[in-house]
Coordinates of all heavy atoms in Angstrom, one line a residue:
M1 N -14.0 -4.7 34.9 CA -14.7 -5.4 33.8 C -13.7 -6.2 33.0 O -12.7 -5.7 32.5 CB -15.4 -4.4 32.9 CG -16.3 -5.0 31.9 SD -17.4 -3.7 31.2 CE -16.8 -3.9 29.5
A2 N -14.0 -7.4 32.7 CA -13.1 -8.3 31.9 C -13.3 -8.1 30.5 O -14.4 -7.8 30.0 CB -13.4 -9.8 32.3
S3 N -12.1 -8.1 29.7 CA -12.2 -7.9 28.3 C -12.4 -9.2 27.6 O -11.9 -10.2 28.0 CB -10.8 -7.3 27.8 OG -10.8 -7.3 26.4
N4 N -13.2 -9.1 26.5 CA -13.5 -10.3 25.7 C -12.5 -10.5 24.6 O -12.6 -11.5 23.9 CB -14.9 -10.2 25.1 CG -16.0 -10.4 26.2 OD1 -15.8 -10.9 27.2 ND2 -17.2 -9.8 25.9
A5 N -11.6 -9.6 24.4 CA -10.6 -9.7 23.3 C -9.7 -10.8 23.6 O -9.2 -11.0 24.8 CB -9.9 -8.4 23.2
P6 N -9.4 -11.6 22.6 CA -8.4 -12.7 22.8 C -7.0 -12.2 23.0 O -6.6 -11.1 22.5 CB -8.5 -13.5 21.5 CG -9.0 -12.6 20.5 CD -9.9 -11.6 21.3
T7 N -6.2 -12.9 23.8 CA -4.8 -12.5 24.0 C -4.0 -13.0 22.8 O -4.4 -13.8 22.0 CB -4.3 -13.2 25.2 OG1 -4.3 -14.6 25.1 CG2 -5.1 -12.8 26.5
A8 N -2.8 -12.4 22.7 CA -2.0 -12.7 21.6 C -1.6 -14.2 21.5 O -1.6 -14.9 20.4 CB -0.7 -11.9 21.7
S9 N -1.3 -14.8 22.7 CA -1.0 -16.2 22.7 C -2.2 -17.1 22.3 O -2.0 -18.2 21.7 CB -0.5 -16.6 24.1 OG -1.4 -16.4 25.0
E10 N -3.4 -16.7 22.6 CA -4.6 -17.4 22.2 C -4.7 -17.4 20.7 O -5.1 -18.4 20.0 CB -5.8 -16.8 22.8 CG -6.0 -17.2 24.3 CD -7.1 -16.5 25.0 OE1 -7.7 -15.5 24.4 OE2 -7.5 -16.9 26.1
L11 N -4.5 -16.2 20.1 CA -4.6 -16.1 18.7 C -3.5 -16.9 18.0 O -3.8 -17.6 17.0 CB -4.3 -14.6 18.2 CG -5.4 -13.6 18.7 CD1 -5.0 -12.2 18.2 CD2 -6.8 -14.0 18.2
Q12 N -2.3 -17.0 18.5 CA -1.3 -17.7 17.9 C -1.5 -19.2 18.0 O -1.4 -20.0 17.1 CB 0.1 -17.4 18.5 CG 1.2 -18.0 17.8 CD 2.6 -17.7 18.4 OE1 2.6 -17.5 19.6 NE2 3.6 -17.7 17.6
S13 N -1.9 -19.6 19.2 CA -2.1 -21.1 19.4 C -3.3 -21.6 18.7 O -3.4 -22.8 18.4 CB -2.3 -21.4 20.9 OG -3.4 -20.7 21.4
S14 N -4.3 -20.8 18.3 CA -5.4 -21.3 17.5 C -5.0 -21.7 16.2 O -5.6 -22.6 15.6 CB -6.5 -20.1 17.4 OG -6.0 -19.2 16.5
G15 N -3.9 -21.1 15.6 CA -3.5 -21.5 14.3 C -4.3 -21.0 13.2 O -4.0 -21.2 12.0
F16 N -5.3 -20.3 13.5 CA -6.3 -19.8 12.5 C -5.9 -18.4 12.1 O -6.1 -18.0 10.9 CB -7.7 -19.8 13.1 CG -8.7 -19.4 12.1 CD1 -9.0 -20.2 11.0 CD2 -9.4 -18.2 12.2 CE1 -10.0 -19.9 10.1 CE2 -10.4 -17.9 11.3 CZ -10.7 -18.7 10.2
F17 N -5.3 -17.6 13.0 CA -5.0 -16.2 12.7 C -3.6 -16.1 12.0 O -2.7 -16.7 12.3 CB -4.9 -15.4 14.0 CG -6.3 -15.1 14.6 CD1 -7.0 -16.0 15.2 CD2 -6.8 -13.8 14.4 CE1 -8.3 -15.7 15.6 CE2 -8.0 -13.5 14.9 CZ -8.8 -14.4 15.5
H18 N -3.6 -15.2 10.9 CA -2.4 -15.0 10.2 C -1.8 -13.7 10.7 O -2.5 -12.8 11.1 CB -2.8 -14.8 8.7 CG -3.2 -16.1 8.0 ND1 -2.7 -16.5 6.8 CD2 -4.0 -17.1 8.5 CE1 -3.2 -17.7 6.5 NE2 -4.0 -18.1 7.5
P19 N -0.5 -13.6 10.5 CA 0.2 -12.3 11.0 C -0.2 -11.1 10.2 O -0.7 -11.3 9.0 CB 1.7 -12.6 10.7 CG 1.8 -14.1 10.6 CD 0.5 -14.6 10.1
I20 N -0.1 -10.0 10.8 CA -0.5 -8.7 10.1 C 0.4 -8.4 8.9 O 1.5 -9.1 8.7 CB -0.4 -7.5 11.1 CG1 1.0 -7.3 11.5 CG2 -1.4 -7.7 12.2 CD1 1.2 -5.9 12.1
I21 N 0.0 -7.5 8.1 CA 0.8 -7.1 6.9 C 1.4 -5.7 7.2 O 1.0 -5.1 8.2 CB 0.0 -7.1 5.6 CG1 -1.2 -6.2 5.7 CG2 -0.5 -8.5 5.3 CD1 -1.9 -6.0 4.4
D22 N 2.2 -5.2 6.3 CA 2.9 -3.9 6.5 C 1.9 -2.8 6.7 O 2.1 -1.8 7.4 CB 3.8 -3.6 5.3 CG 5.0 -4.5 5.2 OD1 5.3 -5.1 6.3 OD2 5.6 -4.6 4.2
K23 N 0.8 -2.8 5.9 CA -0.2 -1.7 6.0 C -0.9 -1.6 7.4 O -1.4 -0.6 7.7 CB -1.3 -2.0 4.9 CG -0.8 -1.8 3.5 CD -1.9 -2.2 2.5 CE -1.3 -2.1 1.1 NZ -2.3 -2.6 0.2
C24 N -0.8 -2.7 8.2 CA -1.4 -2.7 9.5 C -0.6 -2.0 10.5 O -1.1 -1.6 11.6 CB -1.7 -4.1 10.0 SG -2.9 -5.0 9.0
E25 N 0.7 -1.8 10.3 CA 1.6 -1.2 11.2 C 1.1 0.1 11.8 O 0.7 1.0 11.0 CB 3.0 -1.0 10.6 CG 3.8 -2.2 10.4 CD 4.2 -2.9 11.7 OE1 4.1 -2.3 12.8 OE2 4.5 -4.1 11.6
G26 N 1.0 0.2 13.1 CA 0.5 1.4 13.7 C -1.0 1.3 14.2 O -1.5 2.2 14.9
C27 N -1.6 0.2 13.8 CA -3.0 0.0 14.2 C -3.1 -0.4 15.7 O -2.2 -1.1 16.2 CB -3.7 -1.1 13.4 SG -5.4 -1.3 13.8
E28 N -4.1 0.0 16.4 CA -4.2 -0.3 17.9 C -4.7 -1.7 18.1 O -4.8 -2.1 19.3 CB -5.1 0.8 18.5 CG -4.4 2.2 18.6 CD -5.4 3.2 19.1 OE1 -6.4 2.9 19.6 OE2 -5.0 4.4 19.0
R29 N -5.2 -2.4 17.1 CA -5.7 -3.7 17.3 C -4.7 -4.8 17.2 O -5.0 -6.0 17.2 CB -6.8 -3.9 16.2 CG -8.0 -3.0 16.4 CD -9.0 -3.2 15.3 NE -9.9 -2.1 15.2 CZ -11.0 -1.9 16.0 NH1 -11.3 -2.7 17.0 NH2 -11.7 -0.8 15.9
I30 N -3.4 -4.4 17.0 CA -2.3 -5.4 16.9 C -2.0 -5.9 18.3 O -1.8 -5.1 19.2 CB -1.1 -4.7 16.2 CG1 -1.4 -4.4 14.8 CG2 0.1 -5.7 16.3 CD1 -0.3 -3.6 14.1
V31 N -1.8 -7.2 18.4 CA -1.3 -7.8 19.6 C -0.1 -8.7 19.2 O 0.0 -9.1 18.0 CB -2.3 -8.7 20.3 CG1 -3.5 -7.9 20.9 CG2 -2.9 -9.8 19.3
E32 N 0.9 -8.8 20.1 CA 2.1 -9.4 19.7 C 2.4 -10.7 20.6 O 2.1 -10.7 21.8 CB 3.3 -8.4 19.9 CG 4.6 -8.9 19.3 CD 5.6 -7.7 19.3 OE1 5.2 -6.6 19.5 OE2 6.8 -8.0 19.0
A33 N 2.8 -11.7 19.9 CA 3.2 -13.0 20.6 C 4.4 -13.6 20.0 O 4.3 -13.9 18.8 CB 2.0 -14.0 20.6
N34 N 5.4 -13.9 20.7 CA 6.6 -14.5 20.2 C 7.1 -13.9 19.0 O 7.4 -14.5 17.9 CB 6.3 -16.0 19.9 CG 5.9 -16.7 21.2 OD1 6.3 -16.3 22.3 ND2 5.2 -17.8 21.0
N35 N 7.3 -12.6 19.0 CA 7.8 -11.8 17.9 C 6.9 -11.8 16.6 O 7.3 -11.4 15.6 CB 9.2 -12.2 17.5 CG 10.2 -11.9 18.6 OD1 10.0 -11.0 19.4 ND2 11.2 -12.7 18.7
N36 N 5.7 -12.3 16.7 CA 4.7 -12.3 15.7 C 3.6 -11.3 16.1 O 3.2 -11.3 17.2 CB 4.1 -13.6 15.3 CG 5.2 -14.5 14.7 OD1 6.0 -14.1 13.8 ND2 5.1 -15.8 15.0
K37 N 3.1 -10.6 15.1 CA 2.0 -9.6 15.4 C 0.8 -10.1 14.7 O 0.8 -10.6 13.6 CB 2.4 -8.2 14.9 CG 3.6 -7.6 15.6 CD 3.9 -6.2 15.0 CE 5.0 -5.6 15.8 NZ 5.4 -4.3 15.2
Y38 N -0.3 -10.0 15.5 CA -1.6 -10.5 15.0 C -2.7 -9.4 15.2 O -2.5 -8.5 16.0 CB -2.1 -11.7 15.7 CG -1.2 -12.9 15.6 CD1 -0.2 -13.2 16.5 CD2 -1.3 -13.8 14.5 CE1 0.7 -14.2 16.4 CE2 -0.5 -14.9 14.4 CZ 0.5 -15.1 15.3 OH 1.4 -16.1 15.1
C39 N -3.7 -9.5 14.4 CA -4.8 -8.6 14.5 C -5.8 -9.3 15.5 O -6.1 -10.4 15.2 CB -5.5 -8.3 13.2 SG -7.0 -7.3 13.3
Q40 N -6.3 -8.6 16.5 CA -7.2 -9.2 17.4 C -8.6 -9.2 16.9 O -9.5 -9.8 17.5 CB -7.1 -8.6 18.8 CG -7.6 -7.2 18.9 CD -7.4 -6.6 20.3 OE1 -6.7 -7.2 21.1 NE2 -8.1 -5.5 20.5
T41 N -8.8 -8.6 15.7 CA -10.2 -8.5 15.1 C -10.4 -9.4 13.9 O -11.4 -10.0 13.8 CB -10.5 -7.0 14.7 OG1 -10.2 -6.2 15.8 CG2 -11.9 -6.8 14.3
F42 N -9.3 -9.5 13.1 CA -9.5 -10.3 11.9 C -8.4 -11.4 11.8 O -7.2 -11.1 12.1 CB -9.4 -9.4 10.6 CG -10.5 -8.4 10.6 CD1 -10.2 -7.0 10.8 CD2 -11.8 -8.8 10.3 CE1 -11.2 -6.1 10.8 CE2 -12.8 -7.8 10.3 CZ -12.5 -6.5 10.5
A43 N -8.8 -12.5 11.3 CA -7.9 -13.6 11.2 C -7.0 -13.5 9.9 O -5.9 -13.9 9.9 CB -8.7 -14.9 11.1
F44 N -7.5 -12.8 8.9 CA -6.8 -12.6 7.7 C -6.6 -11.1 7.4 O -7.4 -10.6 6.5 CB -7.5 -13.3 6.5 CG -7.7 -14.8 6.7 CD1 -8.9 -15.3 7.2 CD2 -6.6 -15.7 6.5 CE1 -9.0 -16.6 7.4 CE2 -6.8 -17.0 6.7 CZ -8.0 -17.5 7.2
P45 N -5.7 -10.5 8.0 CA -5.5 -9.0 7.8 C -5.3 -8.7 6.3 O -5.7 -7.6 5.9 CB -4.3 -8.6 8.6 CG -4.2 -9.7 9.7 CD -4.7 -10.9 9.0
D46 N -4.6 -9.5 5.6 CA -4.3 -9.3 4.2 C -5.6 -9.1 3.4 O -5.7 -8.2 2.6 CB -3.6 -10.4 3.6 CG -3.1 -10.2 2.2 OD1 -3.0 -9.0 1.8 OD2 -2.9 -11.2 1.5
A47 N -6.6 -9.8 3.7 CA -7.9 -9.7 3.0 C -8.6 -8.4 3.3 O -9.4 -7.9 2.5 CB -8.8 -10.9 3.5
K48 N -8.4 -7.8 4.5 CA -9.1 -6.6 4.8 C -8.5 -5.4 4.0 O -9.2 -4.4 3.9 CB -8.9 -6.3 6.3 CG -9.7 -7.2 7.2 CD -11.2 -7.2 6.9 CE -11.8 -5.9 7.2 NZ -13.3 -6.0 6.9
W49 N -7.3 -5.6 3.5 CA -6.7 -4.5 2.7 C -6.8 -4.7 1.2 O -6.4 -3.9 0.4 CB -5.2 -4.3 3.1 CG -5.1 -3.7 4.5 CD1 -5.0 -4.4 5.6 CD2 -5.0 -2.3 4.8 NE1 -4.8 -3.5 6.7 CE2 -4.8 -2.3 6.2 CE3 -5.1 -1.2 4.0 CZ2 -4.7 -1.0 6.8 CZ3 -5.0 0.0 4.7 CH2 -4.8 0.1 6.1
R50 N -7.4 -5.8 0.8 CA -7.5 -6.1 -0.6 C -8.3 -5.1 -1.4 O -7.9 -4.8 -2.6 CB -8.0 -7.5 -0.8 CG -7.4 -8.3 -1.9 CD -7.8 -9.7 -1.8 NE -6.9 -10.5 -0.9 CZ -7.2 -11.7 -0.4 NH1 -8.4 -12.2 -0.6 NH2 -6.4 -12.3 0.4
L51 N -9.3 -4.6 -0.8 CA -10.2 -3.7 -1.6 C -10.0 -2.2 -1.2 O -10.9 -1.4 -1.4 CB -11.6 -4.1 -1.4 CG -12.0 -5.5 -2.0 CD1 -13.4 -5.8 -1.7 CD2 -11.7 -5.5 -3.5
G52 N -9.0 -1.9 -0.5 CA -8.7 -0.5 0.0 C -8.4 -0.5 1.5 O -7.8 -1.5 2.0
I53 N -8.7 0.5 2.1 CA -8.4 0.7 3.5 C -9.2 -0.2 4.4 O -10.4 -0.3 4.2 CB -8.5 2.2 4.0 CG1 -7.5 3.0 3.2 CG2 -8.3 2.3 5.5 CD1 -7.7 4.5 3.5
C54 N -8.6 -0.9 5.4 CA -9.3 -1.7 6.3 C -10.3 -0.9 7.1 O -9.9 0.2 7.6 CB -8.3 -2.4 7.3 SG -9.1 -3.2 8.7
N55 N -11.5 -1.3 7.1 CA -12.6 -0.5 7.8 C -12.4 -0.5 9.3 O -13.1 0.3 9.9 CB -14.0 -0.9 7.3 CG -14.2 -2.4 7.7 OD1 -13.3 -3.2 7.8 ND2 -15.5 -2.7 7.8
F56 N -11.6 -1.3 9.9 CA -11.4 -1.3 11.3 C -10.1 -0.7 11.7 O -9.8 -0.7 12.9 CB -11.5 -2.7 11.9 CG -12.9 -3.1 12.2 CD1 -13.9 -3.2 11.3 CD2 -13.3 -3.3 13.6 CE1 -15.2 -3.6 11.6 CE2 -14.6 -3.6 13.9 CZ -15.6 -3.8 12.9
A57 N -9.3 -0.2 10.8 CA -8.0 0.4 11.1 C -8.2 1.6 11.9 O -9.0 2.4 11.7 CB -7.3 0.7 9.8
T58 N -7.3 1.7 13.0 CA -7.4 2.9 13.9 C -6.4 3.9 13.5 O -6.4 5.0 14.0 CB -7.1 2.5 15.3 OG1 -5.8 1.9 15.4 CG2 -8.2 1.5 15.8
H59 N -5.5 3.6 12.6 CA -4.4 4.5 12.2 C -4.6 5.2 10.9 O -3.9 6.1 10.5 CB -3.1 3.8 12.3 CG -2.9 2.7 11.3 ND1 -3.8 1.6 11.2 CD2 -2.0 2.4 10.3 CE1 -3.5 0.8 10.3 NE2 -2.4 1.3 9.7
K60 N -5.6 4.7 10.1 CA -5.8 5.3 8.8 C -7.3 5.4 8.5 O -8.1 4.5 8.9 CB -5.2 4.4 7.7 CG -3.7 4.5 7.6 CD -3.1 3.8 6.4 CE -1.6 3.9 6.5 NZ -1.0 3.2 5.4
K61 N -7.7 6.6 8.0 CA -9.1 6.8 7.7 C -9.2 7.2 6.2 O -8.3 7.8 5.7 CB -9.6 7.9 8.5 CG -9.6 7.6 10.0 CD -10.7 6.6 10.4 CE -10.5 6.3 11.9 NZ -11.1 4.9 12.2
P62 N -10.2 6.8 5.5 CA -10.4 7.2 4.1 C -10.6 8.7 4.0 O -11.2 9.3 4.9 CB -11.6 6.4 3.7 CG -12.4 6.1 4.9 CD -11.3 6.0 6.0
E63 N -10.0 9.3 3.0 CA -10.1 10.7 2.8 C -11.4 11.0 2.1 O -11.7 10.3 1.1 CB -9.0 11.2 2.0 CG -7.7 11.3 2.8 CD -6.6 12.0 1.9 OE1 -6.9 12.8 1.0 OE2 -5.4 11.7 2.2
I64 N -12.2 11.9 2.6 CA -13.4 12.3 1.9 C -13.2 13.7 1.3 O -12.9 14.6 2.0 CB -14.6 12.3 2.9 CG1 -14.8 10.9 3.5 CG2 -15.8 12.8 2.2 CD1 -15.8 10.9 4.6
V65 N -13.3 13.7 0.0 CA -13.0 14.9 -0.7 C -14.3 15.7 -0.9 O -15.3 15.2 -1.5 CB -12.4 14.7 -2.1 CG1 -12.2 16.0 -2.9 CG2 -11.1 13.9 -2.0
V66 N -14.4 16.9 -0.4 CA -15.6 17.7 -0.5 C -15.3 18.8 -1.4 O -14.4 19.6 -1.1 CB -16.0 18.2 0.9 CG1 -17.3 19.1 0.8 CG2 -16.3 17.1 1.9
S67 N -16.0 18.9 -2.4 CA -15.8 20.0 -3.4 C -17.0 21.0 -3.3 O -18.1 20.6 -3.2 CB -15.6 19.5 -4.8 OG -16.8 18.9 -5.2
T68 N -16.7 22.2 -3.2 CA -17.7 23.2 -3.2 C -17.9 23.8 -4.6 O -17.0 24.3 -5.2 CB -17.4 24.4 -2.2 OG1 -16.1 24.9 -2.6 CG2 -17.3 23.8 -0.8
I69 N -19.1 23.7 -5.0 CA -19.5 24.2 -6.4 C -20.5 25.3 -6.2 O -21.5 25.1 -5.5 CB -20.1 23.1 -7.3 CG1 -19.0 22.0 -7.4 CG2 -20.5 23.6 -8.6 CD1 -19.6 20.7 -8.1
K70 N -20.2 26.4 -6.7 CA -21.1 27.6 -6.6 C -22.2 27.4 -7.7 O -21.9 27.2 -8.9 CB -20.4 28.9 -6.8 CG -19.5 29.2 -5.6 CD -18.9 30.6 -5.7 CE -18.0 30.9 -4.5 NZ -17.4 32.2 -4.6
V71 N -23.4 27.5 -7.3 CA -24.5 27.4 -8.3 C -25.3 28.7 -8.3 O -25.7 29.2 -7.2 CB -25.4 26.2 -7.8 CG1 -26.6 26.1 -8.8 CG2 -24.7 24.9 -7.8
N72 N -25.4 29.2 -9.4 CA -26.2 30.4 -9.6 C -27.7 29.9 -9.6 O -28.1 29.2 -10.5 CB -25.9 31.0 -10.9 CG -26.6 32.3 -11.1 OD1 -27.7 32.5 -10.6 ND2 -26.1 33.2 -11.9
P73 N -28.5 30.3 -8.6 CA -29.9 29.9 -8.5 C -30.8 30.2 -9.7 O -31.7 29.5 -10.0 CB -30.4 30.5 -7.2 CG -29.4 31.5 -6.8 CD -28.1 31.2 -7.5
L74 N -30.5 31.3 -10.3 CA -31.3 31.7 -11.5 C -31.0 30.8 -12.6 O -31.9 30.3 -13.3 CB -31.0 33.2 -11.9 CG -31.4 34.2 -10.9 CD1 -30.9 35.6 -11.3 CD2 -32.9 34.2 -10.7
K75 N -29.7 30.5 -12.9 CA -29.4 29.6 -14.0 C -29.9 28.2 -13.7 O -30.3 27.4 -14.6 CB -27.9 29.6 -14.2 CG -27.4 30.8 -14.9 CD -25.9 30.8 -15.2 CE -25.5 32.0 -15.9 NZ -24.0 32.0 -16.1
A76 N -29.8 27.7 -12.4 CA -30.2 26.4 -12.0 C -31.7 26.3 -12.3 O -32.2 25.2 -12.8 CB -29.9 26.1 -10.6
A77 N -32.5 27.3 -11.9 CA -33.9 27.2 -12.1 C -34.3 27.2 -13.6 O -35.2 26.5 -14.0 CB -34.6 28.4 -11.5
K78 N -33.5 27.9 -14.4 CA -33.7 27.9 -15.8 C -33.4 26.5 -16.4 O -34.2 26.0 -17.3 CB -32.8 29.0 -16.4 CG -33.2 29.5 -17.8 CD -32.3 30.6 -18.2 CE -32.7 31.3 -19.4 NZ -31.9 32.4 -19.8
R79 N -32.3 25.9 -16.0 CA -32.0 24.6 -16.4 C -33.0 23.6 -16.0 O -33.4 22.7 -16.8 CB -30.6 24.2 -15.8 CG -29.5 24.0 -16.9 CD -28.2 23.6 -16.2 NE -27.5 24.8 -15.9 CZ -26.9 25.0 -14.8 NH1 -27.0 24.2 -13.8 NH2 -26.2 26.1 -14.6
A80 N -33.5 23.7 -14.8 CA -34.5 22.7 -14.3 C -35.8 22.9 -15.1 O -36.6 21.9 -15.2 CB -34.7 23.0 -12.9
S81 N -36.1 24.0 -15.6 CA -37.4 24.2 -16.3 C -37.4 23.8 -17.7 O -38.4 23.9 -18.4 CB -37.8 25.7 -16.2 OG -36.9 26.5 -16.9
G82 N -36.2 23.3 -18.2 CA -36.2 22.8 -19.5 C -35.3 23.5 -20.5 O -35.6 23.5 -21.7
G83 N -34.4 24.2 -20.0 CA -33.5 24.9 -20.9 C -33.6 26.4 -20.8 O -33.4 26.9 -19.8
G84 N -33.9 27.0 -21.8 CA -34.0 28.4 -21.8 C -33.8 29.0 -23.2 O -34.0 30.2 -23.4
K85 N -33.5 28.1 -24.1 CA -33.3 28.6 -25.5 C -34.7 28.6 -26.2 O -35.5 27.7 -26.0 CB -32.4 27.6 -26.2 CG -31.0 27.7 -25.8 CD -30.0 26.8 -26.6 CE -28.6 27.0 -26.1 NZ -27.7 26.1 -26.9
K86 N -34.8 29.7 -26.9 CA -36.1 29.8 -27.7 C -36.0 29.0 -28.9 O -34.9 28.9 -29.5 CB -36.3 31.3 -28.0 CG -36.6 32.1 -26.8 CD -36.8 33.6 -27.2 CE -37.0 34.4 -26.0 NZ -37.1 35.8 -26.3
K87 N -37.1 28.4 -29.3 CA -37.1 27.6 -30.5 C -37.8 28.3 -31.7 O -38.6 29.2 -31.5 CB -37.8 26.3 -30.3 CG -37.1 25.4 -29.3 CD -37.8 24.1 -29.1 CE -37.0 23.3 -28.1 NZ -37.6 22.0 -27.8
Ligands
SF4_101 S1 -7.9 -3.8 12.3 FE1 -7.3 -3.8 10.1 S2 -5.5 -2.5 10.1 FE2 -5.8 -3.0 12.2 S3 -4.5 -4.8 12.5 FE3 -6.5 -5.6 12.0 S4 -6.5 -5.9 9.8 FE4 -4.8 -4.6 10.3

């Protein structure tokens, strides 16, 4: 099966693709041509990191923090019913 991914020389010759940035190092989408590294997915790798982690990065994943909070079901029911304090 033939790959539709552009080759590194095609990316470079197009003149549209910008070289990767430091944060991209280690990503599997990097292709190299004439000592320049390009992303085969995005033309402007810098823009993909502007708002955080690149969503297509293969080497970094966002950390999801899961916190476990113990809830007392009796207190939760009391809170849900409108308090519990007598007036
Ligand atoms: S997919 Fe994202 S992290 Fe990987 S090389 Fe391209 S811009 Fe960089």
Side-chain angles (χ1 to χ4, degrees):
M1 190 169 116
S3 173
N4 290 335
T7 62
S9 58
E10 286 173 344
L11 295 180
Q12 188 183 29
S13 62
S14 72
F16 186 69
F17 282 75
H18 289 226
I20 62 162
I21 61 172
D22 292 343
K23 293 175 183 172
C24 294
E25 286 296 341
C27 183
E28 292 174 10
R29 298 181 197 275
I30 295 173
V31 290
E32 196 167 346
N34 300 334
N35 295 330
N36 287 324
K37 293 178 179 176
Y38 298 93
C39 173
Q40 65 182 18
T41 308
F42 297 108
F44 301 99
D46 185 27
K48 292 302 294 181
W49 287 92
R50 218 169 273 158
L51 298 176
I53 294 175
C54 169
N55 59 335
F56 271 67
T58 60
H59 62 305
K60 290 189 180 174
K61 298 288 176 205
E63 285 185 28
I64 299 171
V65 179
V66 178
S67 62
T68 54
I69 301 171
K70 290 185 179 176
V71 177
N72 183 335
L74 293 175
K75 287 184 178 178
K78 201 172 185 179
R79 241 180 272 128
S81 67
K85 291 185 178 179
K86 292 180 183 174
K87 292 181 182 178

